[in-house]
Amino acid sequence: MGPEDLDQILKALPIQKDPRVLVGIETSDDAGIYQLTEEVALVQTVDFFTPIVDDPYTFGQIAATNALSDVYAMGGTPLTAMNLVAFPIHSLPSTILKEILRGGLAKMEEAQVALVGGHSIEDKEIKYGLAVTGIVHPHRYLTNAKARVGDQLVLTKPIGTGIIATALKAEMASKEAVHKMVESMTTLNRRASELMKGYDAHACTDITGFGLIGHALEMAKASEIQMVIHSEKVPIFSEALDYAKQGLIPGGAYSNRRYFSCHVEVDSRIPEILIDLFYDPQTSGGLLISLPPENAQKLVEALRMEGSFQSSIIGEVIEGPPGRIQIV
Ligand code: CO
Ligand code: CO
Ligand code: CO
């Protein structure tokens, strides 16, 4: 069963309409939004997964950064978090769990998020993540549904973490590649989120399991627009391209391609291997931001000033059949 099938089961629930729910389960958005007052809405999200790196502290950092990202993608400010833990306490030393939690806590502290609780179960496989609660102004949150024709698209982190993680599992990844991957996956999307609001961003989402194409398509569908992505402008980890050429492509990239490729038109001159990267499932990926063309370069420059050197304008929003992407 693929990710979309699971999604369909969840969305088929007979959920009652509630006017306070500003963003709910029926759209493919990053987090739910619930209006509390005229000034304040709650932003809520949850995310957890199995380790993708060996070092438990690093894994904790990645999982927390990833979980916080959905609040940032909607322009919210995360305030509190709860740990979600599955751990084989009888077969693995508890020091591993302590390190995972310590890594998660470090990121919560960096994000100025208070850890307020959590829940743990015994399980054969380690899983860790967070349930995060934040706030946003009920009129000023971002979804993936408001991209406009003429907008440009900014991506704030390089693509290829899934492929590097696959190479790491196969013990074929270089130290340098793993270092770059970890650095990217543990970088909070907080500053990108704060900055985009100052540049009149229309729509935003974060790039995670469905890959660049999958998440861009969700935006294209929800916004009823078409997108052009300039393949040579997409920031990628150069090592990921090398590993992809060696066949180190995660299964998720193939299922993403199966699900999404019918909505994508690819210029035949583009190397197939690059398209594999665009379907690569990301963990704790960057933000994809749709904003007015006169602001896109300014946002990229502001991000670069803060050390986000790989932020780039990767494409634009055009008129045309909605929910489609052209890769040129
Ligand atoms: Co998301
Ligand atoms: Co999520
Ligand atoms: Co409990």
Side-chain angles (χ1 to χ4, degrees):
M1 192 158 72
E4 232 170 28
D5 301 310
L6 270 176
D7 208 42
Q8 273 154 15
I9 293 168
L10 295 171
K11 281 177 187 162
L13 284 171
I15 291 168
Q16 292 246 290
K17 283 261 178 277
D18 181 335
R20 290 164 296 188
V21 175
L22 304 181
V23 177
I25 197 166
E26 61 284 341
T27 58
S28 303
D29 241 303
D30 294 298
I33 299 191
Y34 182 92
Q35 183 159 6
L36 288 179
T37 68
E38 279 305 307
E39 301 287 318
V40 183
L42 282 179
V43 189
Q44 293 181 294
T45 183
V46 57
D47 238 308
F48 64 103
F49 46 72
T50 55
I52 54 166
V53 291
D54 288 334
D55 179 58
Y57 182 84
T58 306
F59 169 56
Q61 287 186 304
I62 294 168
T65 306
N66 179 74
L68 290 164
S69 178
D70 281 329
V71 175
Y72 292 132
M74 301 197 77
T77 306
L79 297 178
T80 63
M82 302 220 239
N83 282 326
L84 296 169
V85 178
F87 195 79
I89 195 68
H90 297 294
S91 56
L92 283 179
S94 62
T95 48
I96 293 180
L97 178 55
K98 283 180 195 151
E99 281 302 287
I100 293 173
L101 297 176
R102 226 168 50 79
L105 191 59
K107 281 295 151 186
M108 287 180 244
E109 278 169 6
E110 187 188 331
Q112 294 173 290
V113 164
L115 177 66
V116 293
H119 187 73
S120 57
I121 58 162
E122 201 188 327
D123 195 0
K124 282 198 275 283
E125 203 173 28
I126 298 175
K127 298 177 192 84
Y128 174 63
L130 302 177
V132 183
T133 301
I135 51 168
V136 74
H137 191 284
H139 306 308
R140 264 173 255 141
Y141 61 85
L142 284 155
T143 67
N144 60 16
K146 298 249 168 80
R148 294 182 205 161
V149 171
D151 279 0
Q152 290 194 328
L153 301 164
V154 169
L155 179 65
T156 67
K157 286 185 187 180
I159 297 290
T161 57
I163 289 167
I164 296 176
T166 304
L168 178 63
K169 269 194 205 121
E171 295 180 3
M172 288 170 79
S174 71
K175 262 211 173 104
E176 180 62 18
V178 175
H179 173 78
K180 282 195 228 168
M181 171 188 78
V182 166
E183 201 172 43
S184 175
M185 292 193 297
T186 57
T187 297
L188 294 172
N189 282 328
R190 174 171 58 169
R191 282 304 287 151
S193 172
E194 289 166 353
L195 287 168
M196 73 176 172
K197 288 185 272 183
Y199 290 100
D200 186 28
H202 295 150
C204 180
T205 192
D206 59 341
I207 306 302
T208 53
F210 295 150
L212 173 63
I213 289 178
H215 291 282
L217 259 178
E218 281 187 337
M219 188 183 280
K221 268 185 212 156
S223 301
E224 299 180 1
I225 50 85
Q226 191 172 9
M227 284 176 184
V228 177
I229 293 177
H230 299 272
S231 56
E232 83 288 353
K233 301 257 178 70
V234 177
I236 57 169
F237 295 105
S238 54
E239 291 90 343
L241 200 56
D242 298 335
Y243 301 146
K245 283 178 189 155
Q246 295 168 47
L248 296 162
I249 295 168
Y254 294 108
S255 36
N256 283 342
R257 187 188 272 261
R258 257 199 317 279
Y259 282 115
F260 301 121
S261 61
C262 56
H263 308 288
V264 183
E265 212 173 291
V266 181
D267 187 307
S268 59
R269 286 165 298 186
I270 299 166
E272 203 47 23
I273 210 83
L274 199 54
I275 305 301
D276 286 331
L277 250 87
F278 298 167
Y279 283 111
D280 182 38
Q282 304 299 286
T283 300
S284 193
L287 298 183
L288 178 70
I289 302 162
S290 182
L291 76 172
E294 63 274 19
N295 289 356
Q297 192 55 39
K298 288 181 201 157
L299 173 63
V300 166
E301 273 154 31
L303 284 162
R304 287 183 183 166
M305 290 273 281
E306 304 217 0
S308 174
F309 300 109
Q310 306 242 42
S311 297
S312 311
I313 299 172
I314 64 160
E316 63 264 347
V317 176
I318 60 163
E319 236 161 326
R324 290 195 66 81
I325 294 180
Q326 283 178 32
I327 302 180
V328 297

